[in-house]
Amino acid sequence: MDTNNNYHDEVTIAGFGGQGIILVGKLLAQTAMQAGIEVTYMPSYGAEIRGGTANSMIIMSSKPIPSPVITYPTSLVVMNKASADKFAPRVEENGLIVYNSSLIDKLPSHNSSIDVLAVNADDIAGEINNPRGANMVMLGAYLIKRNVMTVDQATEALPKVLAKRYHKTLPANIEALRRGAEVASKTG
Amino acid sequence: MSGNEAMAEAAIRAGCDAYFGYPITPQSEIPAYMARRMGQENRVFVQCESELAAINMVFGAAATGKRVMTTSSSPGISLMQEGISYLAGAQLPSVIVNVMRGGPGLGNIAPSQSDYFQGTRGGGHGDYRTITLAPSTVQEWVDMMPLAFDLADQYCNPVMILADGILGQMMEPIEFKTVPGRKLPQKDWALTGCKGREQNIVRSLWLADGVLEDLNLKIQDKLREIEENEIICEQSQTEDADIVLVAYGVSARIVRTAVDLAREQGIKAGWIRPVSLWPFPMDVINAAAQDLKMFLVVEMSHGQMIDDVKIAVAGKCPVAFFGRAGGGVPTVEQVLDKIRELSILSDN
């Protein structure tokens, strides 16, 4: 784990309501917290539950974090086209974009120094019979790309953020995390 | 655990005996959490039919000497103002949390700091103030709850906490600490059943000649005592600063990052963060005004706390402003741009 004095990642996770954006954001924040990293988590909260836009802002750092609000993310995990159009142009130089290529055919213009990874998250989630697990696939891919926290650490944090009545879905979600990680590992 | 839930747990640990509330975004997690936890603790939870009912139940429960809290967001707090004035008039300890959202009117559910005037001027009718505190991190909000109940009990006055939608919704690691409480006066005024003693009366209606004037003087004495003893304020990098930013709550976090970046660019910037908004840290700001080129006040409003900063500065130096409201949150970049612009202006 690389949490030296310079670690700082401002992650925006975005999609539409119902894709599990808030849950996966909480999972990343919980994982970071259990790994001893400074972290803030800010959801967009809306009257809309399904169909509206949703995003989570997670700042992780080796130093205490003053402002929890992200204007220019260093990492973007994006699950639908509307959110890609909104957030991709704002990603910082040398940043990271992991996008859901099942729903996004093409990213809008963004800085050429950005590391871009396409993950067909909905297709993968469908293959493993966990169609609601696309969010976990995306997070698995992000974790590998950043190489700061591991999928195992996220797996350990998962029961803390998932409501007890959904704990029967733990194995399916862990599988989704692993599949996302595999995709990212293959592309290097 | 969101900021809302963390605060609710802290209130329980601070000995909140009864909670009355009505849901409204962005603070609905508080009544939801209280609904679950207060029963487990054998305490009182009531989801009221309205904010009016909630604040008047606070009045009734506070009159019995119990620790009482209600929470709401801006439009709901407006509805409570009559009751808050009555609490102040009857001198009843109580804690009221406002997780501010965009206004005016029903506004929206985005974070805001546009209730500063309402929160620091009393809000309702009559000559009174609430002790008003503004946390900027979830940890600070949690730590503030025992203090809020203590202050209410010590001074027999409503205490208002001004948070905002960001603080309510965000998560960050926190720790519940046990701190020794203040030594508090006996609640010998409380309505606990008068068998074997003189009857106590709690009221805010005083019609007899001169009685209300005396009560007002008594309340004013109390408020002066609070002003002398209960100011809380944080500051950093103000000693050598040319420009000092003043912000509270979540805005102060944004300002902190902007000031750090300005320092990296060679601009001598510092910041002051009032934690108690009433009583306001007049002396701290007045002292800083002495050797300063200017202040910059940053708020999620179109300029409310700036009035208090100007009163404190008393014309010693200019006071500039940057703010956004109605759901707009000042970004670090916007604040930094403003600092740069002002520092170029003041150099010429």
Side-chain angles (χ1 to χ4, degrees):
Chain A
M1 185 178 68
D2 172 26
T3 50
N4 60 45
N5 289 332
N6 296 318
Y7 173 62
H8 189 88
D9 198 5
E10 304 201 357
V11 188
T12 296
I13 304 178
F16 53 76
Q19 282 184 312
I21 299 297
I22 302 298
L23 175 68
V24 80
K26 281 185 189 174
L27 176 55
L28 178 57
Q30 182 74 29
T31 307
M33 190 174 87
Q34 290 183 207
I37 297 168
E38 296 281 350
V39 59
T40 62
Y41 161 86
M42 239 299 278
S44 70
Y45 49 94
E48 63 283 276
I49 298 298
R50 291 188 181 79
T53 57
N55 64 74
S56 296
M57 293 187 255
I58 302 100
I59 304 182
M60 295 170 291
S61 184
S62 43
K63 298 192 192 92
I65 302 154
S67 171
V69 183
I70 300 174
T71 319
Y72 303 108
T74 45
S75 298
L76 173 66
V77 177
V78 64
M79 293 193 59
N80 73 338
K81 184 141 192 355
S83 301
D85 290 345
K86 182 173 174 186
F87 290 107
R90 296 193 202 166
V91 177
E92 288 267 19
E93 273 179 39
N94 303 311
L96 168 69
I97 298 178
V98 181
Y99 74 97
N100 177 11
S101 54
S102 301
L103 296 180
I104 303 165
D105 48 1
K106 191 168 168 290
L107 280 183
S109 67
H110 53 270
N111 193 289
S112 60
S113 66
I114 293 168
D115 185 6
V116 176
L117 174 67
V119 179
N120 54 338
D122 283 295
D123 299 315
I124 293 169
E127 280 168 25
I128 58 171
N129 290 320
N130 181 12
R132 288 165 69 188
N135 56 347
M136 297 291 157
V137 176
M138 296 294 287
L139 183 66
Y142 162 83
L143 290 171
I144 294 297
K145 288 304 276 188
R146 279 304 187 203
N147 195 27
V148 173
M149 289 159 283
T150 64
V151 170
D152 284 346
Q153 285 174 308
T155 302
E156 274 170 42
L158 188 56
K160 293 252 166 53
V161 296
L162 202 62
K164 281 226 167 65
R165 63 182 182 278
Y166 294 124
H167 275 197
K168 57 182 182 296
T169 69
L170 280 169
N173 281 313
I174 292 164
E175 172 66 7
L177 277 167
R178 295 202 186 290
R179 290 296 296 266
E182 273 170 33
V183 175
S185 305
K186 274 180 202 152
T187 54
Chain B
M1 203 179 231
S2 66
N4 282 330
E5 291 163 320
M7 184 284 294
E9 179 60 32
I12 292 169
R13 292 178 188 223
C16 178
D17 296 302
Y19 172 89
F20 307 95
Y22 184 81
I24 178 173
T25 308
Q27 65 85 55
S28 293
E29 293 82 6
I30 302 171
Y33 189 87
M34 286 305 219
R36 194 164 66 243
R37 286 279 289 121
M38 289 297 265
Q40 291 171 0
E41 298 285 328
N42 243 336
R43 302 187 202 173
V44 174
F45 167 86
V46 181
Q47 177 172 327
C48 308
E49 68 269 34
S50 73
E51 288 87 350
L52 267 72
I55 197 69
N56 286 302
M57 288 184 198
V58 164
F59 188 104
T64 70
K66 296 294 183 185
R67 288 197 149 179
V68 191
M69 179 170 89
T70 185
T71 64
S72 190
S73 180
S74 308
I77 297 289
S78 291
L79 285 165
M80 291 182 182
Q81 289 304 331
E82 180 195 46
I84 296 171
S85 170
Y86 280 44
L87 285 165
Q91 301 198 77
L92 288 176
S94 43
V95 174
I96 302 144
V97 177
N98 180 0
V99 183
M100 291 182 280
R101 63 186 243 176
L106 212 44
N108 64 15
I109 60 170
S112 169
Q113 294 182 322
S114 296
D115 304 346
Y116 180 91
F117 286 151
Q118 187 192 57
T120 58
R121 265 60 186 165
H125 60 281
D127 265 317
Y128 75 95
R129 303 277 180 142
T130 55
I131 300 170
T132 302
L133 308 174
S136 83
T137 65
V138 178
Q139 183 69 60
E140 189 181 26
W141 201 7
V142 162
D143 295 344
M144 199 174 264
M145 296 317 291
L147 175 67
F149 282 103
D150 278 5
L151 286 169
D153 283 348
Q154 182 172 343
Y155 294 102
C156 288
N157 205 69
V159 172
M160 171 84 71
I161 292 184
L162 282 190
D164 65 74
I166 292 180
L167 213 52
Q169 296 295 321
M170 75 177 290
M171 294 186 186
E172 55 192 341
I174 52 152
E175 202 186 322
F176 291 105
K177 304 166 194 159
T178 322
V179 288
R182 293 187 178 197
K183 200 170 171 330
L184 296 168
Q186 287 288 323
K187 293 182 173 178
D188 51 13
W189 45 263
L191 309 184
T192 53
C194 66
K195 199 173 175 186
R197 64 159 167 80
E198 279 283 293
Q199 180 188 29
N200 283 338
I201 297 174
V202 171
R203 62 172 169 178
S204 71
L205 177 67
W206 302 95
L207 294 175
D209 190 30
V211 176
L212 184 60
E213 183 167 20
D214 287 348
L215 174 70
N216 265 282
L217 290 171
K218 199 179 151 203
I219 290 175
Q220 289 305 312
D221 284 347
K222 178 174 82 178
L223 296 181
R224 294 298 85 75
E225 194 188 333
I226 296 169
E227 281 180 325
E228 268 168 39
N229 297 310
E230 306 300 348
I231 286 170
I232 312 171
C233 183
E234 197 187 18
Q235 58 181 314
S236 173
Q237 292 155 291
T238 48
E239 303 83 19
D240 67 334
D242 290 329
I243 179 167
V244 166
L245 284 80
V246 188
Y248 71 96
V250 159
S251 296
R253 299 176 69 142
I254 293 157
V255 156
R256 250 172 104 157
T257 306
V259 164
D260 286 347
L261 292 171
R263 282 270 168 181
E264 281 172 23
Q265 297 176 13
I267 300 169
K268 286 184 179 169
W271 54 263
I272 295 176
R273 178 173 74 90
V275 179
S276 59
L277 301 182
W278 194 90
F280 192 75
M282 295 285 174
D283 292 347
V284 175
I285 288 174
N286 187 274
Q290 208 65 48
D291 313 302
L292 207 62
K293 286 185 180 158
M294 67 173 69
F295 280 102
L296 170 59
V297 178
V298 178
E299 300 178 60
M300 288 195 285
S301 81
H302 285 297
Q304 300 195 10
M305 183 180 68
I306 187 174
D307 286 11
D308 280 337
V309 175
K310 282 182 175 169
I311 292 169
V313 168
K316 282 184 182 171
C317 73
V319 181
F321 180 76
F322 182 77
R324 292 177 63 184
V329 177
T331 65
V332 169
E333 293 73 18
Q334 285 171 328
V335 175
L336 184 60
D337 282 350
K338 188 76 186 177
I339 296 173
R340 276 205 222 99
E341 178 196 317
L342 291 169
S343 87
I344 292 165
L345 275 176
S346 66
D347 283 347
N348 292 334

